[in-house]
Amino acid sequence: MAAALSADVEWTDPTCPVARAVDLVGDRWILLIIRDAMDGASTFTDFHQRLGVARNILSDRLRRLVEHGILSKEAQAVGKRHVYALTEAGEDLFIAIVAMRQWGERHAFSPEESHSSLVDRAGEPVPELQLPATDGNPLTAATTHVRKVS
Amino acid sequence: MAAALSADVEWTDPTCPVARAVDLVGDRWILLIIRDAMDGASTFTDFHQRLGVARNILSDRLRRLVEHGILSKEAQAVGKRHVYALTEAGEDLFIAIVAMRQWGERHAFSPEESHSSLVDRAGEPVPELQLPATDGNPLTAATTHVRKVS
DNA sequence: CTACATGAGTTGCATTTTGAAACCATTATG
DNA sequence: CATAATGGTTTCAAAATGCAACTCATGTAG
């Protein structure tokens, strides 16, 4: 498990993994870039067309993601020049994106609105994430706490 | 499951739950506010001291979170005046925050750095989130895809 | 070979958002 | 009564964002 970061980052809160994650990927466009990368987008134009983000901003975000080891950028010999691909660290954001998606499905749509959904290869809906304790009941914010570093 | 939103939002991508979630909570300070709310922060001063965010920005984010039904704001009779608390929709972000935390633990720390950790009431570390398919293997971006709305 | 199109950006501003500091209004507290 | 704490708002400078236009390299049709 290599570190995702080669460039130096000014951490908001150096001992908190949530804060470090937010420093790296807690940006509106970055999260949507990763969503689209997981859905098959791979070139600058892919991302630009899907997101409708300004080109300079897209350029900046792609560069930062490559610097931080979340995307890789490879030159292709023929045809399309550059291909962005998720690194292992980028692929590993899958659970986080799914968590966002499932929260959005539950809380950002009214009952009569329809939305896209995530399905497996058989076309079956992906199940809901949960965090079972050893006793089987789901853990929540109320049943857990942060143990600060010593 | 009531909708989280009372105020109108300009959705970046109205049919995508990830995009709607990002529109509501995909902001650096918002995610850290929710983290701290889950860790016991409840007043303006709590959040300000923990985050070190500018007061006007904090004020704006708290207002937006209340507008969108993620936090509630209640006046207290005696002592501290206002108390912010997570609504049901806010509590339900627990899994998403944990996903961010676990990704951060895996990819934003070098081996020799230490970080805070999330433990249950018994002091046991919270297990890693995963998304098992019906066959038992974890689902990934490669084994799932987005089915667009019809 | 020339003209045009495509991909992947960069540059130059105008607008927006952010951040820091100061200010303000209401309770408490000595 | 003077002072402090709480929960903000205002002001203004600096940074980030967004849009349009420009660049530059390759590929493609005539």
Side-chain angles (χ1 to χ4, degrees):
Chain A
M1 194 78 60
L5 9 122
S6 52
D8 33 35
V9 181
E10 276 290 298
W11 302 119
T12 300
D13 182 348
T15 71
C16 177
V18 180
R20 286 210 186 188
V22 165
D23 285 340
L24 293 173
V25 298
D27 169 84
R28 94 191 250 83
W29 293 122
I30 283 179
L31 288 167
L32 296 178
I33 286 169
I34 291 163
R35 174 200 65 173
D36 284 350
M38 291 181 176
D39 193 42
S42 67
T43 65
F44 188 92
T45 305
D46 279 349
F47 291 110
H48 183 237
Q49 288 176 349
R50 296 195 193 207
L51 294 173
V53 56
R55 304 167 74 77
N56 52 345
I57 303 300
L58 177 58
S59 176
D60 175 77
R61 295 301 187 275
L62 290 172
R63 185 166 32 70
R64 281 162 48 177
L65 286 168
V66 170
E67 276 174 10
H68 294 153
I70 294 162
L71 289 180
S72 64
K73 180 182 187 175
E74 283 139 48
Q76 209 76 340
V78 189
K80 287 180 172 178
R81 264 89 54 98
H82 299 137
V83 175
Y84 293 94
L86 292 163
T87 62
E88 191 209 342
E91 290 280 0
D92 197 35
L93 281 162
F94 182 66
I95 293 284
I97 297 289
V98 171
M100 285 291 198
R101 167 177 282 276
Q102 293 186 349
W103 183 86
E105 291 177 356
R106 288 193 294 267
H107 300 287
F109 287 84
S110 55
E112 71 273 16
E113 289 177 303
S114 59
H115 53 72
S116 67
S117 45
L118 190 65
V119 298
D120 66 18
R121 283 189 165 151
E124 289 298 308
V126 165
E128 298 230 327
L129 282 164
Q130 57 172 359
L131 200 50
T134 48
D135 69 1
N137 292 321
L139 290 167
T140 67
T143 57
T144 57
H145 67 278
V146 174
R147 192 179 57 209
K148 307 295 181 204
V149 70
S150 49
Chain B
M1 195 78 58
L5 8 121
S6 51
D8 32 34
V9 182
E10 277 288 299
W11 302 119
T12 300
D13 183 349
T15 71
C16 176
V18 180
R20 287 211 186 188
V22 165
D23 284 340
L24 293 172
V25 299
D27 169 86
R28 95 192 249 80
W29 293 123
I30 284 180
L31 288 168
L32 296 178
I33 286 168
I34 291 164
R35 175 200 65 174
D36 284 350
M38 291 181 176
D39 193 41
S42 67
T43 66
F44 188 92
T45 305
D46 279 350
F47 291 111
H48 183 237
Q49 288 177 348
R50 296 195 192 207
L51 294 173
V53 56
R55 303 169 74 79
N56 52 345
I57 304 300
L58 177 57
S59 176
D60 174 77
R61 294 300 188 278
L62 289 172
R63 184 166 30 71
R64 281 162 48 177
L65 286 167
V66 170
E67 276 174 10
H68 294 151
I70 294 163
L71 290 180
S72 64
K73 181 182 187 174
E74 283 139 47
Q76 207 76 338
V78 189
K80 288 178 172 180
R81 263 88 53 98
H82 297 135
V83 174
Y84 293 94
L86 291 163
T87 62
E88 190 208 342
E91 292 278 2
D92 197 35
L93 282 162
F94 181 65
I95 292 284
I97 298 288
V98 171
M100 284 291 199
R101 167 178 281 276
Q102 294 186 348
W103 184 86
E105 291 177 356
R106 288 194 294 267
H107 299 287
F109 287 84
S110 54
E112 71 273 16
E113 290 178 302
S114 59
H115 53 72
S116 68
S117 46
L118 191 66
V119 298
D120 66 17
R121 283 189 165 149
E124 289 297 308
V126 165
E128 298 230 328
L129 282 163
Q130 56 173 357
L131 199 50
T134 47
D135 69 3
N137 291 321
L139 290 167
T140 66
T143 58
T144 58
H145 67 277
V146 174
R147 193 178 56 211
K148 308 293 181 205
V149 68
S150 50

